[in-house]
C-alpha cells in the first residue's frame, strides 16, 4: 500500500474515532441544555408563583382593610343612632312636662311613645353589633331612659291635675272651690308628714303599701287626704285621674324623690361608660385598617 492509501486509512480511522466523542459531547450538551431549560422553567414558575402570592396577599389585605372599615362604619352609625335616640326620648319627656292642656299632652305623649320605640330598636342594633362592654352600657341607658320616660309621664299628669285644682280653687264658686282647696291643703300636709317621718323600711317610698308602719302623724294626714279626695264629685275627675291624685298625695312628683336622683346618676354613669367603650371599640377596629 502506498503512502496515499495509508494516509486515507489513517484519516478514516481518525474520523471513526471522532464520531463517538462527538456523540457523547452532543449528548452532554443536550442534557445540559435540557437541565438549564428545566431550571429556567422552575425559576420562572417560582417567580410567577411569588408574584401571584404577592398580588393575592395585597388583594386580601385590601379586602380585609375595606371590611374592617365597613364594620367600623356600621358600628359607629349604630352607636350614634342609639345616642341620638336616647337624647330624643329625654327631650320628648321634658316637652311633655311643660304641657298644661290634655290635648297638647296627648300629642307629646305620642311623641314620647315613638321615642321609646326608637330607643328600643336602636338598642337592639347595638346588641347585634356589640361588643358586650358597649351593649351592657347601652342597656343601662335604655332601662334608665324608659324609667325616666314613665316618671315624666306620671309627673306631667300630676302637673296638669294640680293646675286644674289651682284653677278650681281660684275660679270656681261655692262647694267646688272649697273642695279643691281642701284637697290641695290635705295633699301638702300629707307630703310634709311623710317627709318628717321617713318610711322605716328600706326601698319603700309609699306608706300605702305598709299602712301598719305609718306613724300617727302620717296616718292622720293620710286619712284627711283620702277624705278630701272622696269628697270630690264623681264627675269632676275620672277614675284614672283620681288614681293620679292619690299618687300625688302620697308620693308627690318623681323628680322630688331620692330614687329619681339615683336614676339620674346611674344614667350619667352609663353614658360615660358607653362612650368610653364605644371609643375603645372603634379605635380597636380602626387600628386593624
Amino acid at each position: 500500500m502506498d503512502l496515499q492509501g495509508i494516509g486515507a486509512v489513517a484519516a478514516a480511522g481518525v474520523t471513526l474515532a471522532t464520531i463517538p466523542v462527538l456523540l457523547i459531547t452532543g449528548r452532554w450538551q443536550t442534557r445540559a441544555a435540557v437541565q438549564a431549560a428545566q431550571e429556567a422553567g422552575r425559576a420562572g414558575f417560582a417567580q410567577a408563583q411569588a408574584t401571584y402570592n404577592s398580588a393575592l396577599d395585597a388583594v386580601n389585605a385590601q379586602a380585609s382593610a375595606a371590611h374592617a372599615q365597613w364594620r367600623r362604619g356600621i358600628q359607629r352609625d349604630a352607636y350614634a343612632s342609639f345616642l341620638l335616640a336616647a337624647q330624643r326620648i329625654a327631650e320628648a319627656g321634658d316637652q311633655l312636662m311643660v304641657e298644661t292642656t290634655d290635648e297638647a299632652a296627648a300629642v307629646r305623649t305620642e311623641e314620647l311613645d315613638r321615642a321609646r320605640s326608637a330607643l328600643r330598636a336602636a338598642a337592639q342594633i347595638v346588641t347585634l353589633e356589640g361588643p358586650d362592654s358597649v351593649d351592657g352600657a347601652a342597656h343601662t341607658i335604655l332601662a334608665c331612659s324608659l324609667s325616666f320616660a314613665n316618671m315624666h309621664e306620671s309627673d306631667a299628669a300630676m302637673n296638669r291635675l294640680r293646675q286644674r285644682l289651682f284653677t278650681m280653687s281660684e275660679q270656681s264658686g261655692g262647694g267646688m272651690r272649697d273642695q279643691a282647696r281642701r284637697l290641695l291643703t290635705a295633699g301638702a300636709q300629707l307630703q310634709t308628714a311623710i317627709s318628717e317621718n321617713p318610711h322605716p323600711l328600706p326601698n319603700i317610698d309609699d306608706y300605702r303599701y305598709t299602712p301598719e308602719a305609718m306613724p300617727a302623724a302620717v296616718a292622720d294626714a293620710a286619712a284627711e287626704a283620702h277624705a278630701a279626695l272622696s269628697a270630690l264629685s264623681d264627675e269632676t275627675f275620672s277614675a284614672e285621674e283620681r288614681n293620679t291624685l292619690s299618687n300625688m298625695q302620697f308620693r308627690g312628683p318623681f323628680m322630688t324623690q331620692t330614687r329619681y336622683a339615683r336614676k339620674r346618676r346611674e344614667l350619667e354613669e352609663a353614658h360615660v361608660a358607653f362612650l368610653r367603650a364605644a371609643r375603645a371599640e372603634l379605635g380597636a377596629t380602626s387600628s386593624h385598617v
Side-chain angles (χ1 to χ4, degrees), residues 13-28:
V14 171
T15 300
L16 291 175
T18 303
I19 290 175
V21 174
L22 292 175
L23 290 176
I24 294 173
T25 301
R27 183 177 298 175
W28 286 346

Side-chain angles (χ1 to χ4, degrees), residues 7 36 58 68 83 97 142 151 179 194 220 229 255 262 279:
L83 290 175
M97 288 286 293
L142 172 65
M151 291 180 185
Q179 290 174 1
I194 291 175
D220 293 342
L229 183 58
M255 294 181 68
R262 290 197 303 268
R279 287 167 179 164

Side-chain angles (χ1 to χ4, degrees), residues 2 4 24 41 53 61 65-66 79 89 107 112 131-132 136 168 173 190 222 228 241 249 254 257-258 260:
D2 56 11
Q4 187 176 4
I24 294 173
N53 289 340
Y79 301 160
I89 195 173
V107 175
L112 183 59
D132 291 343
M168 290 168 57
L190 179 56
E241 289 172 336
Q249 288 177 324
F254 277 107
Q257 299 175 23
T258 56
Y260 184 90

Side-chain angles (χ1 to χ4, degrees), residues 89-175:
I89 195 173
E91 292 174 350
D94 291 340
Q95 291 169 352
L96 176 60
M97 288 286 293
V98 301
E99 298 296 349
T100 58
T101 66
D102 292 339
E103 293 76 11
V107 175
R108 295 300 187 186
T109 300
E110 291 180 358
E111 294 177 357
L112 183 59
D113 289 338
R114 289 194 294 271
R116 286 189 183 103
S117 298
L119 183 61
R120 290 190 183 97
Q124 290 299 318
I125 297 175
V126 172
T127 298
L128 179 64
E129 293 298 327
D132 291 343
S133 57
V134 178
D135 180 44
H139 275 76
T140 300
I141 293 175
L142 172 65
C144 290
S145 297
L146 293 179
S147 180
F148 278 127
N150 294 337
M151 291 180 185
H152 289 161
E153 195 169 6
S154 177
D155 282 2
M158 289 184 186
N159 290 342
R160 294 193 302 276
L161 286 177
R162 187 180 294 106
Q163 184 60 43
R164 283 176 59 184
L165 286 173
F166 279 128
T167 301
M168 290 168 57
S169 69
E170 294 173 354
Q171 298 180 357
S172 299

Side-chain angles (χ1 to χ4, degrees), residues 56-72 285-289:
L56 185 61
D57 290 342
V59 171
N60 289 337
Q62 184 177 5
S64 178
H67 177 75
Q69 186 175 4
W70 172 79
R71 284 280 300 128
R72 182 172 181 263
T285 306
S286 178
S287 66
H288 294 301
V289 177

Side-chain angles (χ1 to χ4, degrees), residues 188-240:
Q189 290 174 343
L190 179 56
Q191 284 294 302
T192 299
I194 291 175
S195 65
E196 293 175 350
N197 299 271
H199 203 290
L201 300 178
N203 302 320
I204 297 292
D205 294 320
D206 198 332
Y207 271 114
R208 287 176 298 178
Y209 300 125
T210 54
E212 69 280 357
M214 282 187 186
V218 177
D220 293 342
E224 169 58 19
H226 177 74
L229 183 58
S230 300
L232 292 174
S233 61
D234 294 339
E235 294 79 14
T236 308
F237 296 100
S238 66
E240 182 179 357

